Amino acid sequence: MADTTREIERKFEFSKAASARRGLPDLTGTAAVAAVTDQGTVELDAVYYDTPDQRLAADGLTLRRRTGGADEGWHLKLPVSPGVRDEVGAPLGDTVPPALAALVRSRTRGAALTPQVRLVSSRHVSHLLDADGTLLAELSTDDVVAERGEATAAWTEVEVELADGVDPGLLDAVEKTFRKAGLRVSDAPSKLARALAETGAEPPARPDGRGPGSGDTAGAHVLAYLREQRDALVAHDPAVRRDLPDSVHQMRVATRRLRSALKTYRKVLDREATDPVGDELRWLAAELGVDRDQEVLAERLQAHLTELPPTLLTGPVRDRLRTWNTARRSASRRRALDALDSDRYISLLNTLDATLDAPPLLDGAARSPRKALRKAVLRDYARLAARIDSALALDEGRERDVALHEARKAAKRVRYAAESAVPALGKPAKRLAKAVKKVQSLLGDHQDSVVARDALRGLADQATDAGEPAFTWGLLYGREEALAERRERELPAVWAKASAPTLRTALK
């Protein structure tokens, strides 16, 4: 993967011409700044790439090819939070590097990335240093000229970018000093955004999430939720490709929430039209799930080993677990990436967009959101209650384990439904979601124990075949078995709280 740096910066502009003539104030003495050193001027020439309909700009991403400066090359900037972006770099070349093209695939979906805007900048750089001479931030004053076809624009921009590990509070102190000198925080989130705006090529506005039509309807609420999850799915794609912590989990959650909502709100959206979308979402969740499940399983087994005293660790158990996990994670990660690189995945994203742009609304979509969403949540609750009752009626064993796993999936659906209904139903929906989440978590721990025991049997067999002691693996198996039994004993009490009638009657 290409090199990545985290940018924490703030952009400023002069509020009046008189302020610009006076120039920048001396920042010496601002917060921990003990000295400001001149680093000279560099000439930069950047060409920004996007699809013809500006899909990257619409989502706040920028992709550029820049010459000049110490870091010339290709740069993809991904928004993290206001004022914070991850910059992924690649060496200078004539075409978009494949590694960067992959990171924007969930946006471009096969559309060509072509030059859109050229920015030529004369950048004067200073370094802000502390008393020890350590770099705190880089201060840049850019005289920018933007070119888009025949249209041009010019402006001066001041940027303060923190060095790694520096307290972001420094930016607040600099802003306070700048305000007194006639500078204000720039309205434009990036140079590209300003260039597009000032050359008459602003990207199309993002949908407001309320869906077609107007009014406070069930359809508007459901579509807003679905669009939110669709956006999360697309946004997590680059993080999964970069193998960032928890990224696969978050992407799979968005996928599951989408699929769950399509089922929950079958009185709002026509299932005949949405079921095929749901089937494809199930496929994607399954492909992502292999990697996520292996990650969770390995962390669980490693934690168990850490809890054991050294006297109970017989044989090379840590090495065997590491080798076993490395082999399985390599295969599972490749499977997840293959799914994201597939035509099937892009087809799913396009179909999902088309469904949300022209939703197959039923008559129920025009109803009051409170009434319609309440009924949907209670239908899912009734399904969960039936599954819990069926599972608890079974004797311990494989059949009960399967039934509890099905109850867990039903609990997750109720939780998602209640959370999606919070904008319409308020705190009662939030309280129900919280209560059901406890049921889901307990059943999830139980299912993780079932999966862990299967893995431990396999690890014990591998150890035996290699002539290693299998004692530790058997010990962990027994601990997992005891944990599962404990969770089953705890379930009735946890379920009793989640199934309290007052939680449901409050959904009015």
Side-chain angles (χ1 to χ4, degrees), residues 36-105:
V36 180
T37 61
D38 191 330
Q39 301 297 308
T41 301
V42 62
E43 304 301 321
L44 306 174
D45 191 338
V47 177
Y48 287 77
Y49 284 66
D50 205 337
T51 60
D53 55 355
Q54 300 178 21
R55 298 177 193 178
L56 302 189
D59 279 353
L61 284 71
T62 61
L63 174 64
R64 74 184 179 205
R65 180 187 185 275
R66 190 172 75 182
T67 57
D71 66 340
E72 70 175 9
W74 287 89
H75 308 112
L76 172 65
K77 298 194 178 187
L78 301 159
V80 176
S81 60
V84 181
R85 295 187 294 181
D86 279 348
E87 179 179 286
V88 186
L92 193 64
D94 294 334
T95 58
V96 178
L100 301 190
L103 292 177
V104 297
R105 189 169 186 259

Side-chain angles (χ1 to χ4, degrees), residues 176-430:
K176 184 177 180 180
T177 300
F178 275 180
R179 279 203 311 269
K180 294 177 180 178
L183 287 94
R184 61 182 177 85
V185 175
S186 176
D187 293 331
S190 67
K191 286 184 177 65
L192 175 62
R194 182 165 184 173
L196 292 173
E198 297 201 8
T199 59
E202 285 188 283
R206 297 285 293 164
D208 64 8
R210 300 303 294 174
S214 59
D216 190 23
T217 65
H221 278 257
V222 171
L223 290 172
Y225 178 77
L226 290 172
R227 289 192 176 97
E228 178 184 341
Q229 301 310 316
R230 183 271 315 275
D231 291 347
L233 171 61
V234 171
H236 285 301
D237 176 297
V240 172
R241 295 177 186 274
R242 295 165 60 201
D243 202 18
L244 297 185
D246 204 39
S247 57
V248 174
H249 172 61
Q250 293 301 327
M251 189 174 186
R252 187 165 66 151
V253 166
T255 305
R256 284 177 162 175
R257 286 180 183 275
L258 280 164
R259 180 168 176 258
S260 182
L262 293 177
K263 290 184 175 182
T264 293
Y265 297 114
R266 60 183 181 271
K267 300 294 185 180
V268 173
L269 295 168
D270 186 355
R271 285 283 298 272
E272 186 174 341
T274 62
D275 275 354
V277 182
D279 291 341
E280 290 302 281
L281 289 168
R282 178 174 58 186
W283 161 77
L284 179 59
E287 297 303 296
L288 296 172
V290 176
D291 193 46
R292 172 60 181 170
D293 291 345
Q294 179 60 29
E295 179 184 27
V296 170
L297 176 58
E299 290 175 354
R300 186 182 185 94
L301 298 183
Q302 182 60 53
H304 285 332
L305 288 180
T306 301
E307 293 167 359
L308 291 179
T311 55
L312 298 181
L313 299 177
T314 61
V317 289
R318 295 189 187 281
D319 288 344
R320 176 155 298 284
L321 179 60
R322 187 181 305 111
T323 301
W324 171 83
N325 182 54
T326 298
R328 289 169 65 100
R329 278 301 304 276
S330 177
S332 63
R333 174 156 174 76
R334 183 67 261 164
R335 180 171 173 176
L337 293 178
D338 285 346
L340 299 188
D341 288 338
S342 69
D343 292 340
R344 184 175 182 178
Y345 170 63
I346 297 303
S347 178
L348 165 60
L349 294 180
N350 289 335
T351 302
L352 188 57
D353 282 353
T355 301
L356 295 177
D357 289 343
L361 298 174
L362 299 174
D363 292 343
R367 295 174 183 165
S368 160
R370 294 186 65 84
K371 184 176 181 180
L373 271 59
R374 176 180 180 274
K375 284 186 175 181
V377 172
L378 292 179
R379 278 196 304 268
D380 282 351
Y381 168 83
R383 177 170 167 269
L384 167 61
R387 290 194 179 185
I388 291 284
D389 290 344
S390 296
L392 291 176
L394 296 172
D395 293 331
E396 292 183 8
R398 188 67 180 176
E399 187 177 357
R400 191 182 200 191
D401 288 343
V402 172
L404 289 172
H405 182 43
E406 292 301 312
R408 175 203 182 189
K409 290 189 284 187
K412 188 176 297 185
R413 182 162 153 184
V414 175
R415 173 193 163 195
Y416 289 165
E419 288 174 347
S420 71
V422 167
L425 302 181
K427 290 184 179 179
K430 187 179 294 187

